[in-house]
Amino acid sequence: MMLIAVTLFACLDSTAKLGGAVVPAIEVVWFRFTIHFVLVAILLNPWRAPTAWRTTAPKLQVARAAVQIACTGLNFLALSYLQIAQTLSIQFMGPIFVTLLSVLFLGEVVGRYRWSAIFISFIGVLIITRPGVGEFNPAFGFIILSVLIGASYSIITRRLAATESAGSMLLIMAALPAIILTPLMPFIWVWPADYADWLPLVGTGFFGAISHYFHIQAHRYAQASFLAPLQYFQFLAVLVLGFAIFGDVPTMWTLLGTLVLVGSGLFIWYRERKIAQAEKRKRLSQIALGAA
């Protein structure tokens, strides 16, 4: 289910890039969330899932939805100028900002190994973006800002997970952006030229909803630490779709920087697994001593 989810995330980026070629990015964002909301509302209707329509933290839910609008809008805007593989590579630096914000707002303790991995991740980003080099594209700024904002999305989600149902977060995440963006549509609306142009726009909402469904289901049956490395499969899916649909061939710098980013992410995952295993052995040892 996790592999299906990350593959569908790649499909979401591909349809967003196609849609952004025929209508404004903000209109693509509207399609993404409105169709997402309709599909989820049908699946999680008030009779089937009443808890999905209730919340005990409306302010945080609104903040999370607002962050999602900004994040998605910047990502779709960057996709108009960059290869999908380039934007996804930069998104791999998300753990850097999440870790920094976790220290500032959640009081989490970060050791030297994780800080080292974060520094290496930053080097990977510099390899991909190559600031100061003639090939540097200002659109990299859009995706970096999207990742930075997305880190706060992760922090808010952690806070909400303690009190809110997964259904409510999935539903409100789509409902509020659709409600906020709908009044703007008459002023920026561009009609797709033909029926074929409607397909990627509808696809953004479809792939957005279905991918998040499989993502949530995967986390119901497996620990996050086990699922985390599987997200890197998305890069392979992006490479295939990028070449098949757009003829994109990633540069040597994109591949090298991605290798550095993925390596640092896997190192953090490996360290977390080791620490968790050590703590588990320690608890079992204490239980055994207590029983004796």
Side-chain angles (χ1 to χ4, degrees):
M1 286 187 286
M2 188 65 175
L3 291 176
I4 292 173
V6 297
T7 301
L8 292 175
F9 285 144
C11 293
L12 169 60
D13 284 345
S14 298
T15 53
K17 186 174 178 66
L18 288 169
V22 295
V23 300
I26 190 69
E27 188 175 337
V28 181
V29 177
W30 179 83
F31 270 102
R32 183 257 180 274
F33 286 113
T34 301
I35 295 173
H36 179 162
F37 170 70
V38 171
L39 291 175
V40 174
I42 293 172
L43 179 65
L44 300 177
N45 59 73
W47 298 273
R48 186 174 184 272
T51 57
W53 298 80
R54 294 195 294 265
T55 177
T56 59
K59 291 182 179 179
L60 275 181
Q61 291 273 25
V62 170
R64 181 172 177 266
V67 167
Q68 180 76 342
I69 294 175
C71 231
T72 304
L74 289 166
N75 182 37
F76 287 2
L77 187 60
L79 282 169
S80 301
Y81 302 97
L82 302 172
Q83 294 182 3
I84 306 177
Q86 290 176 312
T87 61
L88 180 61
S89 299
I90 301 302
Q91 288 173 10
F92 285 155
M93 71 185 289
I96 300 175
F97 294 134
V98 171
T99 300
L100 293 174
L101 292 180
S102 296
V103 173
L104 293 175
F105 296 106
L106 299 180
E108 295 183 0
V109 178
V110 178
R112 64 181 184 276
Y113 290 105
R114 186 179 289 185
W115 283 120
S116 299
I118 289 173
F119 176 75
I120 295 172
S121 296
F122 181 68
I123 298 298
V125 172
L126 293 180
I127 292 173
I128 297 170
T129 59
R130 302 172 68 202
V133 180
E135 297 179 1
F136 178 76
N137 192 321
F140 279 119
F142 295 140
I143 192 63
I144 291 174
L145 184 58
S146 173
V147 175
L148 176 58
I149 296 173
S152 63
Y153 177 85
S154 297
I155 299 300
I156 296 173
T157 300
R158 288 187 189 180
R159 291 280 183 90
L160 287 171
T163 59
E164 305 296 287
S165 68
S168 70
M169 289 192 286
L170 185 63
L171 187 66
I172 295 173
M173 178 189 77
L176 289 180
I179 292 171
I180 292 171
L181 293 176
T182 296
L184 301 177
M185 289 302 104
F187 301 100
I188 59 92
W189 184 266
V190 173
W191 284 101
D194 52 47
Y195 291 112
D197 291 339
W198 285 90
L199 292 178
L201 297 173
V202 174
T204 58
F206 175 79
F207 288 123
I210 302 300
S211 59
H212 278 280
Y213 170 78
F214 278 105
H215 190 265
I216 291 173
Q217 288 299 106
H219 282 80
R220 290 186 187 277
Y221 297 103
Q223 295 180 349
S225 60
F226 171 77
L227 296 172
L230 298 180
Q231 68 179 327
Y232 294 120
F233 180 82
Q234 185 178 348
F235 188 73
L236 176 60
V238 159
L239 289 180
V240 173
L241 290 174
F243 179 76
I245 299 174
F246 306 102
D248 290 341
V249 178
T251 66
M252 176 190 68
W253 299 108
T254 299
L255 293 175
L256 179 60
T258 301
L259 184 62
V260 173
L261 282 167
V262 171
S264 63
L266 291 176
F267 175 73
I268 291 177
W269 168 79
Y270 173 77
R271 283 286 306 169
E272 293 299 317
R273 293 272 293 183
K274 284 292 185 182
I275 292 172
Q277 290 171 358
E279 291 178 349
K280 182 178 180 180
R281 287 194 297 268
K282 183 179 179 180
R283 288 196 301 269
L284 292 175
S285 177
Q286 291 174 344
I287 293 173
L289 289 174

